[in-house]
Amino acid sequence: MNYLTTIQTQLNTEFANQAQVSLFGAALVADANAQQIKSDIFSTILVSMTTLMVLLVLFYRRISIPIIIFIPTIFAGAFALAILALLKTTISAISLSISAVLVGITIDYALHILTHFKRHNDPKELYKEITKPLIMSAATNAVAFLCLLFVHSEALIDLGVFASVAILSSAIFSLLIIPHIYKPKTENAKNSIVDKIAAYPFEKNKALIVTCLVVIFISLFTFTKVQYNNDLAGLNFMPNHLKTVENKLDALLHNQAKSVYVVSYGTNFDAVLTHQKQIDSVLQQAIAQQKIIQFTGLQPAVQSEKEQHQAFAKWANFWDKHKNNTKKILVTEGEKYGFSLDAHQSFYNKLDAGFSALQLADYNAIQALAVADFVTEKNGFITNATLVKLDEVHREAFITEIESLPEVLVIDRKQLNETYLGQLKTDFNHLIDYSILAVIAILWFFFKRLEWVLFSMLPIALTGLVTAGLMGAFGLELNIFSAIVCTLVFGHGVDFAIFMTSALQKEYTTGANELQTYRTSILLAVLTTVLAIGALIFAKHPALLSIASVSLLGVFAAVIITFVFYPMIFKIMVVNRVKKGLSPYTIRLFILSVLFFIFYGIISISVSVLGRLVFLVLPVSKQKKQGWFSWLMSKYMTLIINLNPFIKNKFYNPYGETFAKPAVIIANHASFLDTLLIGMRVPKIIFFVNDWVWNSPIFGRIVRAAGFYPVSKGIENGAELLKDKIAMGYSIVVFPEGTRSYDNSVKRFHKGAFYLADQLQLDIVPFYIHGHSEVMPKGDFIAYDGTLSTSVGKRILHADLAFGTTYSEKAKNIAAYFKVEFDALRLQLEDANYFKKKLLLSYLYKEEEVIQAVRSDFEQNKQNYHALNAFFGKKEKLMHWADDYGQLDCILALQQSTRKIYTHIADIEKRAVAQSNYILIHRNIQYVVTPVAGISKLLISKTIDVTTFEPTQLQGFTEIVLLYNPDFNSVLLHLGYKITYQTYNITHFVKN
C-alpha cells in the first residue's frame, strides 16, 4: 500500500495541472480498517488494560498480579489449541481472533480465586468455598459455547470447540496454579473502594429497585425493536478521502447501484455463447426500458462457432468474387515499384486457406479479451457471468423476468452475504435456546433443586431482557460481531448469577454475611470487562463501537440485576419466611397452595350464592332447607380437604359416635383446616366464629347461611337461637384454647365451652385433630405434605360427675383428660419418619453437604432419635453435647415444643448452621459455648475422646443419656453413675 501511495504522489506531483490520480479498492478499504482498528486498540485497550493492571496491583498489593491472572489463560489457550489440532487438520484464523473475547471470562476465574483467597487466607477454606461455583460457571459457559456446533459456520464451530475447552481448562488451571503462586498479605483489610461498594446493600435501596423495575417494564416493550443488521459493508470504516473517491466512482460507474450477476450455463461453450446473445438482447431492452442501468460481459469479439462460420462464409464469398482482380492489381502495381511476382504469395496462400473456429482455450490465450473474468469451465460444466447494475426498486422484477429464460441463474453477492448472515441470525437464535437449555441442565446437575435453578436463571433472563430492551430503546442493532460478543455477556450473566447464588446459599446456611466477598470478585470482573472491552466505546471503527456498546449495556445490566433483584427475590422467597419461623417456599408447595386457596375461594362463593338461590325457590320448609344446606356444606368441606393430592386424610371413630344427639364438640386448634376437618365429619354443627370471618366478603355469606354464630354477640344474646338449633339436632363446636397454637401441643383450655355445655345441658364430645400443625401451621398459607388425622373421643355425658360437678371443675379435668388422650394419639401416629419432611424442609436451600449430612444422619439414626423422646419429659430442661448441624435438637423440640434444650457444638461452622434453623423461632433451643447452670440432665450424641476428657465437665449432671459412645460407658461408671436402661445405641445413666 505504501508503494501505491508513493506512485500516486509522484504522478499527482508530475501532472499537477493536468490530471489527478486517486486510489480505491477492496484492498485499500481493508487496509484502512486494519489501520483504524490498530489505532483504536492502541488508544483505548492498551491504555485501559494498563490502568486495569495498575488497579489490580493496588487492590491485591502484589506487583506480579498481571502475570498471575494471565498464566491460567495462557495455559488454557495452548491446551485448547492442542485439542483443536487433534480434532481438525485446519483451524479457522477468524475463530481464533474472535476468541480473544474469552479473555474477559477466563481472567475472571483468576480474579474470583484471588479475591476469596485474599479474604480467607486459607487454601482449605478457599477450595471449599470457590471450587463448586467456579466449576459450575466454567461448565455452563463451556456447554453454552459447545452449542456453536449446531451453527452453520465452520469458523464458529471452531470457536465453539476452542472456547469450551479454553474456558473449562482455564477454571481448572486457575484452581490448580493460583493458590501455589499467590500468597495473600497477612492483613485482610476491606477498605478499598471496591470493597466499600461491594458492602453496600443494593437490594435495600428503594431508588435502585424502582429504577430497575421501570427499566424492566420499558424493556418489555422495547426488546422486540432490536434489528439484526445483515450489511457487513456498513460495518467497514471508510476514511474521508476514500469516501470522496467512492462518490466520484459511483458517479461514473454506478458503484452504489445494486449489482447482480446473470449467469448462463451449459456443458458446451458454443451453446453458452449462443444463449448469451439472447440474454444480451434482453438486457439491451431492459436498458432501453430503464429497468437496469448498464451491464458488462464478454466482448462482441467472442463469438460462437455458428457466428464464426458465418463470418468465414462471408470472407470466402467476398474473396471468391475479388481474389483474381486483387491479384492482378497487386502484380500490376508491384511491377511499377520493382516487386517480384511472388512478393505477395503468403497473402495469396491465406486467401486460399480455410479457417477453424476458435475454442474457449483460444479465447483465454488472448488476454485483452479478459474472457477468464466472465467464463468458468470445470469438469465439462461452463458458466458465463454478466455483471448487471440496477436500482434496488427494480431488482425483484428484473430477477423474476431474467430467470424465466432457460438455463439462466441470477447471483446477488450482497444478497448471498445477507442470506448467510440471516442464517447466522437464525442460528444465533437457536444458539440462545440451546445455551439456555444447557445452562439449566448444568444448574440442575449441581443444585439438584428446581428452585435454585429458577433463582439462578432469573437474573440471567432479566439481564437478557434489559440488555435487549436498552438496545431497542437506544436504536442499537445486532450484527455478526455484537452477536458473538453476546456470548460474553451471557457468560458474565451466568457467572454473576452462579456466584451470587453461592453467596446467598452460604449466607443462608451459616447466617454469615458472605455477599461482600462475592460482590467484590464480581465487581472486579465487571471492571476488567469495562476497561478491556467497554473502553472501545471511544473507538471510531463501527464494528468495535458495536462490540463495546453491547458489552457495556449487557455487563452493567447483569451486575445491577444480580446485585439488586437477586438478593431481594431470595429474601422474599426464603429469608423473610425463615425469620418468621416459616419454611421457605418450594415451587410445588407454593403452586399447590395458591391453587388450593383459589379453588377454595371459588367453591366457597359458588356454594354460598348458588346454594342460597336454589334453596330459596325450593318448595320445602325452612328447617329442611337448613338441613340440606348443612349437608351441602359438609360435602363442600370434604371437597376442599381432598383438593391437595399430597395431603392424606384419616378418620378414627373408635366409639362409633354418630352425632345424632347434639353435643358441645371440643377440639384442639392449630390450623385454618380444623373447621373443615370437623365440618366434613359432622354436617349439623354450629361454629363460633370471629367477627372478621362473619364479615368476610368470601367466607361471611357462607358462614351466615350455614347458621354459624359470631362470638362477639355473646352466649346470652344468642341463647334462644342456639336452643332452636340444638332442637333441630345441631351440635356446637368450640375450640377451648381460644386461639390457634404454632405447634402440636394442647394449650390451656378456657371455660367457655364447658359453661355453654352446662347452660344448655349438652354432652361433650372430644375431637382430636392431629397433623394440622405440620400440614398448615398458624401464620402460613402453604399446605405442606402430610397426613391429617381426626379421632372422635368418647362422649362425656352431661350427667357424668367423674370430671366434676361444676363447669369450672369439668374444664380443668376434661382439659387434663384431653391432653392425655391426645398424647396417646400422638404416640400412635408419630413414628420415626413423622417429622422427616419438616426436618428436611428446615435445611432446604442450605449447602448440599449440609443437606446430605442431615439426610444421611436421619436415615441412619431415626429410630434412635424417635426412642429418645421417651427419656425426656414435655417440659424437660436439658443440656446436649453434639457434633451435628442441629438436626437432633430440632427433632427433640418438634416432639415436644415445651422442652428447653441448651446445646454445645464445638465446631463453629456446624454451630452456625444449627443456629440459622427457622425451627428455633418457635422452639426453645439455644446454642451455647459455655455450660449452663441449673441443668441436671445431659444428652451426649457426639463421640467423646476418653483420653482427653475432663470429669469436671460432668459436674452438676445427675442424669445422662448416652447416644452411641460405648467406650464412654466405663468412664461414667467409674465416676459413680449407674445404668438404668441400655440398648445397642442408647444408654441411660443416673448418679448414685
Side-chain angles (χ1 to χ4, degrees):
M1 294 302 167
N2 292 333
Y3 180 68
L4 287 176
T5 304
T6 301
I7 294 176
Q8 178 192 20
T9 304
Q10 292 175 350
L11 291 174
N12 285 337
T13 302
E14 183 177 354
F15 302 98
N17 298 323
Q18 304 174 39
Q20 184 179 10
V21 176
S22 299
L23 300 178
F24 186 80
L28 290 166
V29 174
D31 181 67
N33 276 265
Q35 294 298 327
Q36 187 60 48
I37 290 175
K38 185 188 300 183
S39 173
D40 287 339
I41 291 176
F42 182 79
S43 60
T44 57
I45 291 184
L46 290 181
V47 175
S48 61
M49 286 298 290
T50 303
T51 305
L52 174 62
M53 293 302 109
V54 172
L55 292 175
L56 292 178
V57 168
L58 293 175
F59 182 80
Y60 292 109
R61 302 183 182 182
R62 288 284 296 273
I63 194 68
S64 58
I65 284 297
I67 299 174
I68 292 175
I69 64 174
F70 280 107
I71 287 177
T73 298
I74 294 171
F75 280 17
F79 180 71
L81 275 176
I83 296 296
L84 196 57
L86 289 175
L87 298 176
K88 304 189 69 176
T89 56
T90 58
I91 302 173
S92 170
I94 297 176
S95 66
L96 295 182
S97 61
I98 294 175
S99 64
V101 302
L102 298 177
V103 176
I105 297 177
T106 56
I107 68 171
D108 287 352
Y109 299 147
L111 293 176
H112 285 304
I113 294 175
L114 290 170
T115 304
H116 285 79
F117 204 8
K118 179 174 179 283
R119 164 75 171 82
H120 291 290
N121 202 6
D122 180 3
K124 183 178 178 180
E125 286 297 318
L126 170 70
Y127 282 117
K128 183 178 179 181
E129 185 173 281
I130 202 69
T131 301
K132 180 179 177 179
L134 199 68
I135 295 300
M136 283 182 62
S137 174
T140 51
N141 280 292
V143 173
F145 272 102
L146 273 180
C147 293
L148 287 171
L149 295 177
F150 301 102
V151 175
H152 297 85
S153 168
E154 196 67 25
L156 293 183
I157 291 174
D158 288 351
L159 173 64
V161 176
F162 179 84
S164 59
V165 176
I167 288 174
L168 193 56
S169 58
S170 175
I172 296 174
F173 285 138
S174 297
L175 286 170
L176 295 176
I177 297 173
I178 290 180
H180 292 284
I181 60 178
Y182 172 73
K183 301 298 178 185
K185 302 290 184 180
T186 53
E187 66 271 15
N188 198 15
K190 292 186 176 180
N191 298 322
S192 69
I193 296 176
V194 177
D195 287 321
K196 291 178 180 179
I197 295 174
Y200 183 77
F202 295 87
E203 70 278 7
K204 296 181 181 179
N205 189 307
K206 294 182 179 179
L208 271 177
I209 294 173
V210 172
T211 301
C212 288
L213 287 174
V214 171
V215 171
I216 291 172
F217 180 77
I218 294 174
S219 298
L220 291 172
F221 301 96
T222 58
F223 81 96
T224 57
K225 296 181 180 180
V226 179
Q227 301 295 320
Y228 194 92
N229 186 356
N230 292 331
D231 185 11
L232 279 177
L235 297 175
N236 277 328
F237 173 78
M238 189 76 73
N240 290 330
H241 69 278
L242 287 181
K243 285 183 179 179
T244 302
V245 176
E246 183 182 36
N247 292 333
K248 291 180 179 179
L249 287 174
D250 180 53
L252 295 173
L253 305 175
H254 307 284
N255 281 344
Q256 295 296 323
K258 187 75 175 178
S259 297
V260 298
Y261 287 90
V262 177
V263 181
S264 59
Y265 56 88
T267 57
N268 181 275
F269 178 61
D270 189 64
V272 171
L273 289 179
T274 301
H275 190 46
Q276 183 62 40
K277 297 301 181 180
Q278 301 175 2
I279 296 174
D280 290 345
S281 175
V282 173
L283 294 178
Q284 290 291 354
Q285 293 179 7
I287 290 177
Q289 298 171 359
Q290 297 185 345
K291 293 180 179 180
I292 65 174
I293 299 172
Q294 65 182 33
F295 70 92
T296 304
L298 287 174
Q299 297 183 25
V302 181
Q303 297 182 341
S304 66
E305 288 189 17
K306 181 180 179 181
E307 290 175 315
Q308 291 181 61
H309 284 298
Q310 288 176 349
F312 296 159
K314 288 182 180 180
W315 174 271
N317 185 52
F318 175 83
W319 288 110
D320 284 345
K321 295 179 180 179
H322 304 288
K323 181 168 57 177
N324 293 329
N325 187 44
T326 301
K327 285 182 178 182
K328 289 179 181 179
I329 294 173
L330 289 174
V331 170
T332 302
E333 294 297 325
E335 287 178 350
K336 294 179 181 180
Y337 298 97
F339 284 98
S340 64
L341 294 177
D342 58 352
H344 302 287
Q345 187 60 45
S346 59
F347 173 68
Y348 304 151
N349 293 338
K350 286 289 184 184
L351 294 180
D352 295 331
F355 297 96
S356 60
L358 295 176
Q359 302 299 316
L360 177 60
D362 301 318
Y363 284 121
N364 283 331
I366 306 173
Q367 295 183 0
L369 295 178
V371 173
D373 291 343
F374 302 97
V375 179
T376 303
E377 188 273 334
K378 186 175 182 180
N379 298 328
F381 186 77
I382 300 172
T383 61
N384 177 37
T386 301
L387 177 63
V388 178
K389 295 281 188 175
L390 73 167
D391 293 327
E392 177 65 30
V393 293
H394 300 301
R395 189 180 70 87
E396 290 293 335
F398 170 75
I399 291 176
T400 302
E401 179 183 355
I402 203 71
E403 285 189 337
S404 64
L405 299 175
E407 298 179 341
V408 171
L409 176 67
V410 177
I411 298 177
D412 185 346
R413 287 194 301 179
K414 184 176 181 181
Q415 185 64 34
L416 287 177
N417 288 335
E418 293 176 354
T419 302
Y420 172 72
L421 293 176
Q423 180 63 49
L424 284 182
K425 175 187 175 182
T426 303
D427 289 342
F428 178 71
N429 293 332
H430 291 160
L431 174 63
I432 293 176
D433 297 336
Y434 298 150
S435 299
I436 291 174
L437 292 176
V439 169
I440 291 174
I442 295 293
L443 293 175
W444 174 264
F445 176 80
F446 280 96
F447 285 132
K448 304 291 193 303
R449 293 287 315 182
L450 177 61
E451 292 82 4
W452 275 125
V453 174
L454 294 179
F455 284 149
S456 301
M457 288 302 299
L458 179 63
I460 297 173
L462 288 178
T463 296
L465 172 65
V466 171
T467 303
L470 292 176
M471 290 180 65
F474 293 124
L476 299 177
E477 293 181 328
L478 272 176
N479 53 61
I480 183 63
F481 302 107
S482 58
I484 294 173
V485 171
C486 281
T487 57
L488 173 66
V489 175
F490 182 76
H492 275 307
V494 172
D495 286 349
F496 298 167
I498 288 175
F499 278 92
M500 187 58 70
T501 299
S502 298
L504 293 171
Q505 187 177 33
K506 191 168 187 64
E507 181 179 9
Y508 176 63
T509 300
T510 63
N513 186 357
E514 295 288 343
L515 284 179
Q516 181 179 356
T517 303
Y518 285 86
R519 279 176 174 163
T520 299
S521 62
I522 290 174
L523 285 174
L524 290 174
V526 172
L527 187 62
T528 60
T529 302
V530 170
L531 289 178
I533 300 178
L536 291 174
I537 196 70
F538 300 106
K540 295 181 179 179
H541 197 284
L544 297 181
L545 188 60
S546 68
I547 289 173
S549 302
V550 174
S551 298
L552 286 176
L553 284 178
V555 171
F556 279 121
V559 71
I560 294 299
I561 293 296
T562 304
F563 281 9
V564 176
F565 266 89
Y566 196 1
M568 184 180 70
I569 296 298
F570 186 78
K571 287 185 177 181
I572 292 173
M573 299 295 290
V574 178
V575 177
N576 290 346
R577 284 181 55 82
V578 168
K579 289 180 178 179
K580 298 176 183 178
L582 303 174
S583 167
Y585 292 122
T586 69
I587 297 297
R588 181 176 61 82
L589 290 177
F590 181 80
I591 293 175
L592 287 177
S593 299
V594 170
L595 292 176
F596 172 84
F597 278 100
I598 290 175
F599 285 126
Y600 178 51
I602 293 173
I603 296 173
S604 297
I605 295 173
S606 301
V607 169
S608 174
V609 175
L610 296 178
R612 294 193 68 181
L613 289 176
V614 171
F615 291 135
L616 186 67
V617 298
L618 286 176
V620 294
S621 65
K622 182 178 180 180
Q623 184 173 347
K624 281 190 175 182
K625 290 180 182 179
Q626 188 67 58
W628 289 351
F629 190 78
S630 297
W631 175 86
L632 178 63
M633 283 288 294
S634 177
K635 299 305 177 185
Y636 148 76
M637 293 181 181
T638 302
L639 175 62
I640 294 297
I641 286 294
N642 292 306
L643 278 177
N644 193 323
F646 295 95
I647 299 176
K648 298 178 181 178
N649 183 28
K650 294 184 178 180
F651 179 65
Y652 303 94
N653 190 3
Y655 301 101
E657 179 62 57
T658 63
F659 298 100
K661 180 182 178 182
V664 172
I665 299 174
I666 60 172
N668 54 312
H669 196 25
S671 174
F672 151 81
L673 301 173
D674 296 340
T675 55
L676 301 176
L677 290 168
I678 297 173
M680 65 183 288
R681 303 298 178 185
V682 188
K684 289 189 173 184
I685 53 172
I686 302 172
F687 281 100
F688 281 71
V689 296
N690 293 324
D691 286 348
W692 78 268
V693 178
W694 182 264
N695 297 318
S696 169
I698 297 178
F699 310 117
R701 185 183 298 273
I702 196 168
V703 299
R704 290 193 294 271
F708 292 179
Y709 188 78
V711 176
S712 59
K713 287 187 177 181
I715 297 175
E716 298 81 3
N717 296 328
E720 294 302 321
L721 174 63
L722 293 174
K723 287 179 180 179
D724 290 342
K725 288 287 187 179
I726 292 168
M728 295 167 61
Y730 284 80
S731 295
I732 301 173
V733 177
V734 179
F735 298 108
E737 294 167 284
T739 185
R740 290 177 293 167
S741 62
Y742 280 102
D743 49 55
N744 48 23
S745 63
V746 179
K747 308 303 181 186
R748 185 180 70 87
F749 276 13
H750 295 280
K751 300 175 183 179
F754 308 98
Y755 172 78
L756 187 64
D758 184 68
Q759 292 296 308
L760 299 176
Q761 298 184 354
L762 295 174
D763 300 340
I764 295 176
V765 177
F767 211 99
Y768 309 105
I769 305 175
H770 181 269
H772 51 174
S773 60
E774 284 74 54
V775 171
M776 188 175 285
K778 179 180 179 180
D780 201 353
F781 81 97
I782 296 294
Y784 300 95
D785 300 350
T787 300
L788 295 170
S789 301
T790 51
S791 179
V792 182
K794 186 177 181 180
R795 180 182 283 260
I796 302 173
L797 301 177
H798 175 68
D800 188 351
L801 302 180
F803 293 96
T805 57
T806 66
Y807 74 88
S808 296
E809 292 176 346
K810 289 183 177 181
K812 180 179 179 181
N813 295 327
I814 292 176
Y817 168 77
F818 190 98
K819 292 176 182 179
V820 170
E821 291 294 313
F822 183 70
D823 287 342
L825 180 65
R826 287 191 62 194
L827 288 175
Q828 175 187 342
L829 298 177
E830 295 176 9
D831 59 10
N833 288 307
Y834 182 74
F835 291 110
K836 176 181 178 179
K837 292 180 178 179
K838 194 171 185 68
L839 175 70
L840 294 181
L841 273 176
S842 70
Y843 291 91
L844 183 66
Y845 303 135
K846 295 187 183 295
E847 291 180 329
E848 186 64 23
E849 64 177 280
V850 174
I851 297 173
Q852 291 297 335
V854 171
R855 181 181 286 111
S856 175
D857 176 73
F858 179 83
E859 293 300 332
Q860 292 177 14
N861 303 304
K862 58 185 177 182
Q863 297 298 337
N864 297 320
Y865 293 166
H866 182 63
L868 285 175
N869 187 40
F871 291 91
F872 306 106
K874 283 185 176 182
K875 298 183 179 181
E876 192 75 71
K877 188 177 182 182
L878 69 137
M879 185 71 192
H880 180 202
W881 293 353
D883 188 33
D884 59 5
Y885 292 104
Q887 60 265 31
L888 178 52
D889 298 321
C890 292
I891 291 174
L892 292 173
L894 289 171
Q895 289 170 344
Q896 300 296 339
S897 63
T898 52
R899 285 175 179 156
K900 293 184 178 180
I901 304 171
Y902 300 87
T903 301
H904 176 265
I905 301 176
D907 188 292
I908 296 175
E909 185 173 345
K910 288 184 177 180
R911 184 166 69 243
V913 174
Q915 288 175 321
S916 65
N917 197 305
Y918 77 86
I919 291 178
L920 274 64
I921 302 295
H922 296 300
R923 296 297 192 278
N924 294 313
I925 304 174
Q926 295 184 36
Y927 291 92
V928 298
V929 179
T930 57
V932 179
I935 300 178
S936 60
K937 205 161 191 175
L938 172 65
L939 169 64
I940 303 176
S941 64
K942 73 173 187 176
T943 302
I944 302 294
D945 186 354
V946 296
T947 61
T948 59
F949 179 75
E950 290 292 335
T952 55
Q953 298 178 41
L954 296 177
Q955 186 176 353
F957 295 115
T958 60
E959 191 175 348
I960 298 176
V961 178
L962 196 64
L963 184 62
Y964 312 120
N965 283 288
D967 296 337
F968 198 58
N969 288 352
S970 59
V971 176
L972 293 177
L973 291 173
H974 178 74
L975 293 174
Y977 291 88
K978 67 177 181 179
I979 298 175
T980 62
Y981 176 87
Q982 186 173 25
T983 63
Y984 180 74
N985 293 318
I986 301 175
T987 308
H988 181 249
F989 294 86
V990 294
K991 189 77 171 178
N992 284 328

